[in-house]
Amino acid sequence: MKTALITGITGQDGSYLADLLLSKGYKVVGVKRRTSLISTDRIDHVFNDPDLIMNFNLVYGNMNDSGCLHRLLIEHQPDEIYNLAAQSHVRVSFDTPEETTEIVAMGTLRLLEAYRNICPEAKFYQASSSEMFGDNPENPQSEATRLMPASPYACAKTYAHNLCRNYRESYGLHISSGILFNHESPRRGETFVTRKITRAAARIKMGLQDSLYLGNLDAKRDWGFAGDYVEAMWMMLQQEVPDDYVVATGETHTVKEFLEVVFKHAGLDIDEYVKIDERLFRPHEVPLLLGDPTKAKEKLGWEPKTRFEGLAKLMYDADLRGLVR
Ligand code: NAP
Ligand code: GDD
């Protein structure tokens, strides 16, 4: 039985990846930081399933704590390490740049050092991001597109991404980075724009909210489904040779288009409920992300199964179900 260690287990991707690996018969060690409120909502279903919980181990750990990361790798000797932990909110990274950098950049360095010293035979997945393309107007963006990060979050991700390539080349380690474009789901954090919209629409429909404040509606993103994207992470670590891959749908849409699909599906009038709040604009916006997933398709055999409209509707439906339960 293979053992996989996942940092960021309580996050959107950590929970879908745990589901996938448990279904494949892995033993999963999920690393959780201490929080003042319980933060395991996204993995509670694992605890409630006697077959899954047998192979699941939730442990405390923090990307800011080298000694702890070393101890976890010594204790669990993973075959695969998935580094998903992050302060992952781009807007918030302008407010907390140092904390973001500590977790995303220095945290990755700490984990890589523990990995190369303790279990260098393991395979390592790094959660890189399309945000790293930032100011580069080239599109679609591929593995060859120059990184021009435009936020403290993206700068930290770029450091971690470069470091992973450097460790792979310097020490011959099996490290692959997935340059993932935006991916969403009913488990998406409530402050990211897609979930903010679907949750608000459901609440408005139920009479629990009477307005939705948003920032820049013109930004374009390549949005896919998180459940599809964690499959690509796993596929990368099943390759003989490590590499970097763009994971995207190859379609881009504005925030406004996402809003329109959701409000139409909900039978709501945008003009009646949606207001623009200048405070939600960013000091520096990334106007357009559009990925070219050709390499992932050709080398991994990966393709997205869920498309834009279906994604928006399934997220709204899940939020509505959550309220009428
Ligand atoms: P997420 O929902 O924000 O989850 C982030 C996870 O990191 C949470 O479990 C969080 O724990 C944990 N974490 C934060 N600080 C930590 C620390 N100091 N020590 C240990 N754990 C810590 O993010 P996601 O959407 O699942 O994304 C997963 C990864 O992919 C992230 O690295 C993100 O930057 C990257 N990424 C995401 C996307 C996307 O569109 N979702 C696209 C490209 C790349 P708490 O629950 O305690 O906060
Ligand atoms: N969050 C948020 N809230 N974004 C808004 C809002 C709002 O009220 N109004 C408009 N937007 C716009 C943002 O300005 C941005 O252009 C777009 O919606 C998407 O914002 P987010 O959903 O916060 O995602 P992101 O693109 O900044 O970052 C996500 O994707 C990256 C990959 O490209 C995060 O998941 C990152 O962790 C990830 O790396």
Side-chain angles (χ1 to χ4, degrees):
M1 181 187 273
K2 277 190 189 172
T3 298
L5 182 136
I6 304 175
T7 71
I9 190 72
T10 56
Q12 171 188 254
D13 291 7
S15 69
Y16 279 107
L17 183 63
D19 290 346
L20 178 74
L21 297 180
L22 289 168
S23 77
K24 290 185 181 297
Y26 277 69
K27 184 177 163 212
V28 172
V29 179
V31 184
K32 178 202 177 314
R33 65 174 167 171
R34 196 263 165 184
T35 46
S36 67
L37 288 173
I38 292 170
S39 64
T40 50
D41 295 18
R42 292 174 174 122
I43 47 171
D44 278 348
H45 58 281
V46 174
F47 290 99
N48 295 328
D49 183 329
D51 291 335
L52 295 181
I53 192 64
M54 270 182 358
N55 292 328
F56 185 71
N57 193 355
L58 189 64
V59 295
Y60 278 112
N62 200 302
M63 298 307 289
N64 296 336
D65 188 332
S66 307
C68 155
L69 296 175
H70 275 74
R71 181 174 43 74
L72 288 175
L73 297 195
I74 291 169
E75 210 168 297
H76 298 285
Q77 294 291 331
D79 302 287
E80 296 176 8
I81 300 168
Y82 294 87
N83 183 29
L84 309 184
Q87 188 302 94
S88 72
H89 202 286
V90 175
R91 175 67 187 85
V92 172
S93 79
F94 286 97
D95 300 325
T96 62
E98 198 172 323
E99 190 209 12
T100 303
T101 305
E102 270 301 329
I103 301 167
V104 172
M106 293 305 291
T108 302
L109 173 62
R110 292 182 191 106
L111 187 60
L112 284 172
E113 273 296 291
Y115 158 50
R116 98 175 163 93
N117 285 317
I118 295 158
C119 49
E121 298 306 319
K123 295 178 175 177
F124 189 105
Y125 173 82
Q126 171 60 16
S128 289
S129 166
S130 51
E131 270 291 311
M132 301 187 304
F133 297 123
D135 282 333
N136 194 333
E138 178 183 314
N139 77 81
Q141 292 128 356
S142 74
E143 297 79 6
T145 303
R146 189 154 74 91
L147 306 180
M148 295 175 63
S151 64
Y153 166 79
C155 290
K157 279 285 179 191
T158 303
Y159 170 88
H161 182 76
N162 284 329
L163 194 69
C164 283
R165 186 175 37 74
N166 176 252
Y167 270 51
R168 177 169 71 212
E169 288 167 4
S170 305
Y171 306 120
L173 297 166
H174 196 296
I175 302 174
S176 293
S177 297
I179 307 173
L180 269 53
F181 282 63
N182 298 48
H183 45 280
E184 320 294 312
S185 73
R187 299 185 200 168
R188 182 57 143 154
E190 290 157 357
T191 59
F192 295 96
V193 78
T194 54
R195 184 76 200 288
K196 184 172 171 184
I197 291 170
T198 59
R199 183 170 176 270
R203 287 174 58 80
I204 291 168
K205 192 73 186 171
M206 295 299 290
L208 299 170
Q209 188 170 328
D210 54 18
S211 47
L212 165 61
Y213 289 89
L214 292 171
N216 179 13
L217 301 187
D218 298 326
K220 289 182 152 183
R221 291 290 182 273
D222 179 333
W223 278 295
F225 173 55
D228 293 344
Y229 284 37
V230 298
E231 287 184 8
M233 298 177 187
W234 175 76
M235 285 171 164
M236 285 177 218
L237 296 204
Q238 309 320 305
Q239 304 304 303
E240 209 158 297
V241 181
D243 206 344
D244 299 336
Y245 296 89
V246 158
V247 178
T249 68
E251 262 182 56
T252 192
H253 296 273
T254 59
V255 173
K256 186 153 185 260
E257 285 174 276
F258 190 92
L259 180 67
E260 284 165 352
V261 171
V262 172
F263 270 57
K264 185 165 175 225
H265 183 56
L268 296 171
D269 178 4
I270 292 178
D271 294 335
E272 199 175 325
Y273 298 105
V274 178
K275 299 179 174 73
I276 300 301
D277 183 343
E278 296 295 325
R279 287 170 301 182
L280 294 167
F281 283 69
R282 298 175 177 188
H284 195 138
E285 177 66 281
V286 172
L288 188 157
L289 292 175
L290 169 61
D292 173 4
T294 306
K295 181 174 169 183
K297 186 176 176 186
E298 289 181 356
K299 294 209 166 166
L300 303 177
W302 178 86
E303 272 189 274
K305 298 182 198 105
T306 312
R307 292 289 173 179
F308 178 71
E309 265 205 53
L311 174 65
K313 289 178 182 172
L314 80 81
M315 288 176 67
Y316 169 78
D317 291 345
D319 274 322
L320 193 64
R321 268 197 312 277
L323 292 174
V324 295
R325 229 183 253 144

